[in-house]
Amino acid sequence: SEPGGDPLFSAGRGSVSLDVMQLLLRWQVKADRFTLDGLQLEIDRSQAGEVMIFGRPLSEFRKGDGEMPVEEIRIEGARLVIRDHMEGGRVWVLEDVETRVAREASGFRVEGRFTPPAGSATEVSFWINGDGRQGWKTYVGAQGLQLSVLADVPGLPMPSPSGGSGELRLWVDLDA
C-alpha cells in the first residue's frame, strides 16, 4: 500500500514453509509453500465492468510470466467481499474461503471451496487445471443450491427458476 495509506489486505497469520531437500542437499534456503490464514479481501466491479482489487484496476497489475515463486500458495479461513456496481450494487460475501494454487507436472491447479451468502447454497467447490497452452479443465459444484438465487447471477444466459433447491455440477474443458 501507499505510505500512510490503507492496507491492501489483512490476514490473521501468514507462514512460509521451506523446501527441506534444497536446504539439506544444496544448502539453499528456498520457500516451497506460502500460506495466508484469515485473509480479508475486497473486490469491486465498476459500473463499466472493470474489476478493482485493492482499489486499483486489475489492468494495472503486472502480468506474471507463468512462473510461481513457490510450489504452492494456500489461503485458509478467508473472507471475500465482492461489490458488483454493474448489477445495482449487489454485495456478495464469501466466508470460510479455502484456496490452493499449486504448480504440478500438468501445469497449474487451482482448487478450493467457500461458504456463499446465506440462503444461496450451503457450499461451493471448484477446481481449474491446465497450463494455458494445451487448454484448461474446470469444475464448479454447489451443494444445497437455492435455485431462485440463479436469477441474481450476472449475465446468466438462461431463464432462472423462481424456487426449489438442488445441486449444481458443471465441468468445462477449454481448448487453447
mmCIF file of all heavy atoms in Angstrom, residues 145-151 160-166:
data_model
loop_
_atom_site.group_PDB
_atom_site.id
_atom_site.type_symbol
_atom_site.label_atom_id
_atom_site.label_comp_id
_atom_site.label_asym_id
_atom_site.label_seq_id
_atom_site.Cartn_x
_atom_site.Cartn_y
_atom_site.Cartn_z
ATOM 1 N N LEU A 145 -28.056 -25.738 -3.245
ATOM 2 C CA LEU A 145 -28.289 -24.521 -4.025
ATOM 3 C C LEU A 145 -29.767 -24.153 -4.025
ATOM 4 O O LEU A 145 -30.619 -24.985 -4.344
ATOM 5 C CB LEU A 145 -27.808 -24.728 -5.464
ATOM 6 C CG LEU A 145 -28.025 -23.586 -6.440
ATOM 7 C CD1 LEU A 145 -27.185 -22.374 -6.035
ATOM 8 C CD2 LEU A 145 -27.654 -24.029 -7.846
ATOM 9 N N GLN A 146 -30.077 -22.918 -3.658
ATOM 10 C CA GLN A 146 -31.433 -22.390 -3.776
ATOM 11 C C GLN A 146 -31.557 -21.844 -5.194
ATOM 12 O O GLN A 146 -30.923 -20.859 -5.550
ATOM 13 C CB GLN A 146 -31.687 -21.295 -2.733
ATOM 14 C CG GLN A 146 -31.591 -21.795 -1.308
ATOM 15 C CD GLN A 146 -32.561 -22.945 -1.051
ATOM 16 O OE1 GLN A 146 -33.739 -22.861 -1.360
ATOM 17 N NE2 GLN A 146 -32.039 -24.034 -0.492
ATOM 18 N N LEU A 147 -32.340 -22.512 -6.029
ATOM 19 C CA LEU A 147 -32.379 -22.219 -7.456
ATOM 20 C C LEU A 147 -32.817 -20.798 -7.777
ATOM 21 O O LEU A 147 -32.414 -20.241 -8.795
ATOM 22 C CB LEU A 147 -33.274 -23.242 -8.161
ATOM 23 C CG LEU A 147 -32.796 -24.695 -8.042
ATOM 24 C CD1 LEU A 147 -33.784 -25.627 -8.718
ATOM 25 C CD2 LEU A 147 -31.399 -24.871 -8.604
ATOM 26 N N SER A 148 -33.606 -20.174 -6.926
ATOM 27 C CA SER A 148 -34.040 -18.789 -7.187
ATOM 28 C C SER A 148 -32.861 -17.823 -7.182
ATOM 29 O O SER A 148 -32.926 -16.745 -7.777
ATOM 30 C CB SER A 148 -35.082 -18.359 -6.157
ATOM 31 O OG SER A 148 -34.531 -18.392 -4.859
ATOM 32 N N VAL A 149 -31.745 -18.206 -6.546
ATOM 33 C CA VAL A 149 -30.558 -17.350 -6.491
ATOM 34 C C VAL A 149 -29.926 -17.201 -7.870
ATOM 35 O O VAL A 149 -29.256 -16.211 -8.148
ATOM 36 C CB VAL A 149 -29.543 -17.927 -5.474
ATOM 37 C CG1 VAL A 149 -28.212 -17.218 -5.530
ATOM 38 C CG2 VAL A 149 -30.121 -17.867 -4.073
ATOM 39 N N LEU A 150 -30.150 -18.161 -8.761
ATOM 40 C CA LEU A 150 -29.569 -18.082 -10.102
ATOM 41 C C LEU A 150 -29.993 -16.804 -10.831
ATOM 42 O O LEU A 150 -29.263 -16.306 -11.685
ATOM 43 C CB LEU A 150 -29.933 -19.321 -10.920
ATOM 44 C CG LEU A 150 -29.327 -20.634 -10.417
ATOM 45 C CD1 LEU A 150 -29.864 -21.802 -11.236
ATOM 46 C CD2 LEU A 150 -27.816 -20.591 -10.453
ATOM 47 N N ALA A 151 -31.153 -16.273 -10.493
ATOM 48 C CA ALA A 151 -31.611 -15.028 -11.118
ATOM 49 C C ALA A 151 -30.704 -13.854 -10.758
ATOM 50 O O ALA A 151 -30.664 -12.856 -11.477
ATOM 51 C CB ALA A 151 -33.047 -14.728 -10.690
ATOM 52 N N SER A 160 -34.110 -18.245 -15.261
ATOM 53 C CA SER A 160 -33.824 -18.825 -13.956
ATOM 54 C C SER A 160 -35.102 -19.280 -13.272
ATOM 55 O O SER A 160 -36.134 -18.625 -13.380
ATOM 56 C CB SER A 160 -33.125 -17.787 -13.073
ATOM 57 O OG SER A 160 -31.929 -17.385 -13.680
ATOM 58 N N PRO A 161 -35.028 -20.387 -12.545
ATOM 59 C CA PRO A 161 -36.214 -20.839 -11.806
ATOM 60 C C PRO A 161 -36.554 -19.874 -10.676
ATOM 61 O O PRO A 161 -35.687 -19.176 -10.160
ATOM 62 C CB PRO A 161 -35.792 -22.205 -11.249
ATOM 63 C CG PRO A 161 -34.339 -22.334 -11.475
ATOM 64 C CD PRO A 161 -33.900 -21.271 -12.407
ATOM 65 N N SER A 162 -37.806 -19.857 -10.283
ATOM 66 C CA SER A 162 -38.236 -18.946 -9.217
ATOM 67 C C SER A 162 -38.185 -19.611 -7.849
ATOM 68 O O SER A 162 -38.349 -18.954 -6.833
ATOM 69 C CB SER A 162 -39.651 -18.441 -9.482
ATOM 70 O OG SER A 162 -40.538 -19.540 -9.553
ATOM 71 N N GLY A 163 -37.933 -20.915 -7.777
ATOM 72 C CA GLY A 163 -37.857 -21.586 -6.487
ATOM 73 C C GLY A 163 -37.278 -22.973 -6.623
ATOM 74 O O GLY A 163 -36.917 -23.417 -7.704
ATOM 75 N N GLY A 164 -37.172 -23.653 -5.480
ATOM 76 C CA GLY A 164 -36.638 -25.003 -5.443
ATOM 77 C C GLY A 164 -35.208 -25.022 -4.939
ATOM 78 O O GLY A 164 -34.579 -23.980 -4.757
ATOM 79 N N SER A 165 -34.716 -26.224 -4.693
ATOM 80 C CA SER A 165 -33.326 -26.359 -4.254
ATOM 81 C C SER A 165 -32.737 -27.596 -4.909
ATOM 82 O O SER A 165 -33.458 -28.457 -5.420
ATOM 83 C CB SER A 165 -33.244 -26.463 -2.729
ATOM 84 O OG SER A 165 -33.892 -27.636 -2.283
ATOM 85 N N GLY A 166 -31.422 -27.682 -4.911
ATOM 86 C CA GLY A 166 -30.765 -28.822 -5.525
ATOM 87 C C GLY A 166 -29.269 -28.665 -5.509
ATOM 88 O O GLY A 166 -28.728 -27.869 -4.748
#
